[in-house]
Amino acid sequence: MTRRPMELFSNKLTTRIGTWNVRTLYQSGKCAQVTKEMDRYKIEILGLSEVRWNTSGMTNLNTGHTIIYSGNTKQNDPHEKGVGFLITKRSKTALLEWNPISPRIITARFNSRFQKTTLIQVYAPTNGADDCEKEDFYHSLQTTIEKVPKRDLLVLMGDLNAKVGSERKGWDREIGPHGIGKMNENGELFADFCATNNLVIGGTLFKHKNCHKVTWVSPAGNAENQIDHITISQRWRSSLQDVRVKRGADAASDHHLVIGSIKMKLLAQTKLVVKRRKFNVGKLKIPNTREEFQISLQNKFSAISDLDIEENDIDNALEQTKNVILETCEETLGYMQYKRKNWMSDNTWVKVEERRKAKEKVLNAITRQQKRQTQDLYREIDKEVKKNCKQDKRDYVEQLAQEAEIACSKGDIKSLYNTTKQLSGRRSNSSATVKDKNGNVLTKIEDQLKRWKDHFEEVLNRPSPTDPPTIEGRQVLNIKTGDITRTEVNAAIKQLKNGKAGGIDNIPP
């Protein structure tokens, strides 16, 4: 057991967070593409809008990242809306709790050296949506913010569909001097909301070119708006170093990636971490390795069989026996090497890179003709990327099916089980939300662990039956339960050295 403290944010280093409307993750290869862009821009926590995954839960990706998401409540609901957080391994160790509020709101709280930090990712209704839908959204968002501890560093980000513009009259503390465009109806609602909750809109605070502040471009390329925002609480305004759009990030979305730079200190929870490693017992099927393992085990047991073990020192004998077996396994078998398989081919990744370069040409086009030509090229490459992803998925499933057939023909049940589990499509590394007896979602990890403890105590600690069954013909085993002498211990060690089954419990009295 080792303690693994970690500093995610530092007062000397700037840590990046981001928000991005990716349009959908319910598409083959889309999640891997977003993760690659996240790593390329060195983002620790990335808020996602329009995830389009139903239900809510936490899933570990093949890349080592973790995504927590909140979508429609039922699995059979239309794949619409949805929000989530994509976090790195380092960020996950600082995660205290997360709460899926609705398909439009999700929160995550991280441990901090100074104060805890709460991030809220949202996907607001569009400007043309019904007033009732907008009121419900902001009412739910207000309720969520009121539950955040007052001393927390609060960051609200996401696709607000709100143009706040450059007019600051009445919102001098909430809107900076570097906004773009004109305020719309959603912008007024959002500005009033920020004023009520003492939030400042980060994208309007820093002086950048307009191309580095525009977050959405229409498919035709004739309209540009700043509707994705990163806001921070007023008292922590100095912690926000910069907010800027990264147009080079590409995931086939009409929204640009927005990155915020924050200087803070987040610490991992100081908890005990047990690293479990499995020995590669599959090597015992190889005759030479099996023979080498047996010889090495016999030699090591021969070395400890002559040791002078005191009477009643069974714990010492057991510890030495355990160490001998572990050392032999480590020397001859080694540990299992887990390699994460990426089912997307190199050719597909080449096409993804071509699409990213095509997006740069679209952004750098000057004339309308160049704009139209580059957009047509981008759409053509995007179709090839989607086609290649579907083909790679089919090839990957076919490869797993062949591996299952080979394992079945060889009688390798373990490999057959693992391959079949992959083919079934069930994600064993995902976890759904935990609820209490009243059906309320438990957001804190400590509360979830306590709920599991209470559940198993109720299931396993049942009262004894009032009318126990009578079982006839029971055989009483002749097992010695008294004191064990040194002679009996040495006899048990010799049995283990000779590879005989049994042990101390099977020594005749």
Side-chain angles (χ1 to χ4, degrees), residues 47-281:
L48 303 175
S49 299
E50 285 199 81
V51 175
R52 298 179 188 266
W53 285 3
N54 287 341
T55 69
S56 59
M58 174 185 292
T59 300
N60 297 323
L61 306 179
N62 290 335
T63 56
H65 298 70
T66 301
I67 181 171
I68 51 180
Y69 59 95
S70 175
N72 293 325
T73 55
K74 297 181 180 179
Q75 190 66 43
N76 296 329
D77 288 343
H79 291 272
E80 299 173 347
K81 307 173 187 176
V83 288
F85 285 105
L86 186 60
I87 59 180
T88 61
K89 286 183 178 180
R90 296 176 63 245
S91 302
K92 186 179 179 182
T93 58
L95 180 64
L96 290 175
E97 58 178 301
W98 63 279
N99 189 6
I101 305 298
S102 68
R104 293 188 180 274
I105 304 173
I106 188 173
T107 67
R109 194 166 186 246
F110 296 87
N111 198 14
S112 171
R113 179 181 294 275
F114 300 120
Q115 300 296 336
K116 303 297 188 295
T117 300
T118 299
L119 302 180
I120 303 178
Q121 174 69 22
V122 300
Y123 172 53
T126 60
N127 193 57
D130 295 337
D131 293 339
C132 294
E133 186 177 1
K134 296 179 183 179
E135 291 177 1
D136 292 342
F137 168 76
Y138 278 102
H139 176 73
S140 178
L141 184 58
Q142 182 64 42
T143 304
T144 302
I145 288 185
E146 289 175 354
K147 294 180 180 179
V148 176
K150 298 299 182 182
R151 296 179 61 86
D152 276 18
L153 185 153
L154 175 61
V155 177
L156 170 65
M157 58 186 183
D159 181 4
L160 277 303
N161 280 304
K163 295 192 294 182
V164 295
S166 56
E167 293 292 335
R168 306 173 57 200
K169 189 174 181 180
W171 297 288
D172 294 344
R173 298 181 71 248
E174 293 75 31
I175 302 176
H178 302 293
I180 60 174
K182 294 183 179 180
M183 181 179 290
N184 61 358
E185 182 181 351
N186 271 4
E188 293 181 5
L189 291 174
F190 181 50
D192 291 338
F193 179 83
C194 291
T196 303
N197 296 279
N198 294 322
L199 298 174
V200 57
I201 303 174
T204 63
L205 297 176
F206 304 97
K207 187 176 181 179
H208 293 298
K209 295 180 180 180
N210 285 348
C211 62
H212 296 151
K213 292 186 286 187
V214 170
T215 65
W216 174 80
V217 180
S218 64
N222 54 2
E224 297 179 342
N225 291 321
Q226 186 184 24
I227 58 176
D228 301 82
H229 302 283
I230 295 179
T231 66
I232 192 169
S233 49
Q234 291 278 0
R235 64 184 299 230
W236 293 98
R237 159 67 183 85
S238 59
S239 297
L240 187 63
Q241 303 297 309
D242 189 22
V243 174
R244 177 172 173 167
V245 168
K246 296 295 182 180
R247 302 188 302 164
D250 177 53
S253 174
D254 54 358
H255 289 254
H256 294 316
L257 170 64
V258 184
I259 293 181
S261 302
I262 298 179
K263 278 190 178 181
M264 278 294 298
K265 287 186 176 180
L266 294 184
L267 294 180
Q269 302 178 76
T270 55
K271 58 183 179 181
L272 297 179
V273 179
V274 180
K275 296 183 178 180
R276 298 181 179 180
R277 303 181 65 185
K278 294 183 180 180
F279 292 109
N280 191 3
V281 294

